[in-house]
Amino acid sequence: MEITRTLGRTGIEVSALGFGCWAIGGEWQDTAGQPLGWGKVDDEESVRAIRRAVDLGVTFFDTADTYGAGHSERVVGRALGKRRDDVVLATKWGNVFDEETRTLTGGDDTPAYARRALTASLKRLGTDHIDLYQLHLSDADPERAAELRDTCEEFVREGLVRAYAWSTDDPARAAVFAEGEHCAAVQHAVNVLQDAPDMLALCEASDLASINRSPLAMGLLTGKRRGALEAGDIRSRPPEWLQGFEEGAGAASDWVARVDALKEILTSGGRTPAQGALAWLWARSPRTIPIPGFRSVAQAEQNAGAIEKGPLTAGQMAEVDRILGR
């Protein structure tokens, strides 16, 4: 398959597969003690995994200032080091957090906070510019978002940011950012179990890249059978928006059944289930850039290995829809 994709109308080229850096931020929480990370991490393994991904041709890394309350950005910055300019780096802002206690404390949608957050992210990442700067408040007020879009254009003029995007699952909100000259993408949830036709249609109409969060349905599509998850893992006490998991029980049985029904297609051509899920996304639209998470070199290698196997065929895509009753 074509191993690069373009970030919308910016001309910025990235590998067709990106890496999402939420999990490597380690444990963090909200003020009520709800876990917001994926459990404990080994920073040295995270660094090795990022470097291995770069060696394997992955050139797009997506993080956020709030992942691990600043920790993910620090790890990514350290891992890339002198190879910073070999990759396209995306991060996000809008959430307010306490680095000391690793606690999410709220949100701030003001232009002044956007500048403070950008300055802090540049420092943590050890870089002088962000390639793709993304608003992380998915349900921000559209009028305020228009102000923030203009703020992002200022960042572009100042050379601090190359392009920007909104991380939201609402096409109408994403369209507000799409009006900006240097808006390049929308980051949204989509995977073989949870299609997003309206958002993909917006990306096509507005010439945006579709950056795919939850491409493996928070791990459900890896094919691993999980019982109860460790306490620091967000999936152990899933918030309302996190589908497919039950508190204290792990994966929900009806979701597991759907994954099982797709197994033969997803594992075609010698793929692992995760590689098959990524192959579905590439076949779904020429604009998709899935960003699966990782916590180990082995996961990095498996995800990167999907690229050479390419997208599913049109016949396989139709069969997936038939199995899922779409």
Side-chain angles (χ1 to χ4, degrees), residues 193-217:
L193 300 174
Q194 299 163 291
D195 198 3
D198 293 346
M199 194 64 95
L200 290 169
L202 172 77
C203 290
E204 191 60 45
S206 301
D207 194 7
L208 301 176
S210 158
I211 298 172
N212 311 144
R213 113 171 97 67
S214 302
L216 305 180

Side-chain angles (χ1 to χ4, degrees), residues 154-171:
E154 282 175 34
F155 296 156
V156 173
R157 284 194 292 274
E158 292 169 32
L160 299 172
V161 164
R162 290 175 72 196
Y164 57 86
W166 193 344
S167 178
T168 179
D169 290 323
D170 178 5

Side-chain angles (χ1 to χ4, degrees), residues 21-22 25 28 62-73 92 136:
C21 302
W22 176 13
W28 53 299
D62 173 87
T63 185
D65 58 359
T66 195
Y67 295 162
H71 191 68
S72 175
E73 286 187 331
K92 312 181 193 75
H136 208 179

Side-chain angles (χ1 to χ4, degrees), residues 65 70 73-74 91 97 99 113-127 130 133:
D65 58 359
E73 286 187 331
R74 292 184 192 281
T91 193
F97 52 91
E99 278 202 57
Y113 181 71
R115 187 170 290 277
R116 290 202 304 277
L118 174 58
T119 302
S121 284
L122 290 169
K123 188 175 178 184
R124 282 189 292 264
L125 287 162
T127 185
I130 304 294
Y133 201 39

Side-chain angles (χ1 to χ4, degrees), residues 118-160:
L118 174 58
T119 302
S121 284
L122 290 169
K123 188 175 178 184
R124 282 189 292 264
L125 287 162
T127 185
D128 62 0
H129 71 281
I130 304 294
D131 297 300
L132 185 70
Y133 201 39
Q134 303 162 102
L135 176 59
H136 208 179
L137 301 173
S138 60
D139 55 356
D141 175 74
E143 282 183 25
R144 177 50 67 87
E147 271 184 73
L148 294 172
R149 178 193 67 212
D150 295 343
T151 301
C152 286
E153 287 290 344
E154 282 175 34
F155 296 156
V156 173
R157 284 194 292 274
E158 292 169 32
L160 299 172

